[in-house]
Amino acid sequence: LWSEIGISPVSAFSCQGMLIARYPVTTPSKPSRSLALTAKRTNEAGMQYLQDRLQLSTDEVSKCDRKLMFCPKEDRIKSSLDGVKDHLKLSDAQLRKMVLTLPAIISHSFDNNIKPTLDSVQNYVKLSEDELRK
């Protein structure tokens, strides 16, 4: 198939009598439609709330926004941040660091996703509250 459109393998090797060829990965010439739809789903009010709540710079907000598939509404962000902060007993600085490290946490439901996951990990690995916080 690849040779029909003029693409040569990057490398080839033999495995149990079969010739295996590795072809180059091609990238689309223009952004996909799903990427364009994702970009339209950015919630400006949600990002503004996040910036104000965690005292983020414009650059930090942009980095978070780029890592998110979508930015949820302000009430979802607030409930996620409040839930994580209370459950793990985090300071504002620790919460800020967590969001900058893993921005996707703001897009998940605390009660339906984050809390059950934290509890499961804590029980499975037998972590104390302090160990889980780290």
Side-chain angles (χ1 to χ4, degrees):
L1 174 72
W2 289 99
S3 59
E4 292 174 9
I5 58 173
I7 298 177
S8 302
V10 173
S11 63
F13 59 94
S14 178
C15 179
Q16 295 181 353
M18 294 176 50
L19 181 63
I20 309 294
R22 193 181 75 157
Y23 289 90
V25 176
T26 59
T27 56
S29 58
K30 63 181 184 176
S32 69
R33 184 169 186 268
S34 62
L35 179 61
L37 292 174
T38 300
K40 292 178 184 176
R41 294 188 339 203
T42 297
N43 184 322
E44 295 297 327
M47 293 309 284
Q48 185 62 51
Y49 174 78
L50 186 65
Q51 183 173 19
D52 294 344
R53 166 86 184 257
L54 300 177
Q55 300 298 304
L56 300 176
S57 69
T58 305
D59 187 47
E60 290 169 326
V61 171
S62 294
K63 286 179 184 176
C64 287
D65 192 29
R66 284 193 302 266
K67 292 180 182 179
L68 294 171
M69 286 295 287
F70 70 96
C71 179
K73 293 183 179 179
E74 184 177 331
D75 58 336
R76 167 63 68 88
I77 295 172
K78 182 178 182 345
S79 70
S80 294
L81 293 179
D82 290 344
V84 169
K85 184 176 180 178
D86 293 343
H87 187 73
L88 296 176
K89 298 173 183 68
L90 299 175
S91 67
D92 289 338
Q94 290 170 316
L95 182 62
R96 181 179 191 276
K97 182 179 177 183
M98 179 179 278
V99 170
L100 289 172
T101 304
L102 186 65
I105 200 164
I106 68 168
S107 61
H108 296 286
S109 164
F110 179 76
D111 293 326
N112 296 331
N113 189 294
I114 299 169
K115 185 179 184 314
T117 301
L118 289 173
D119 291 343
S120 179
V121 168
Q122 184 176 17
N123 292 333
Y124 185 76
V125 186
K126 309 282 190 254
L127 297 174
S128 68
E129 295 289 329
D130 290 335
E131 292 170 324
L132 183 62
R133 189 176 305 117
K134 292 179 184 179

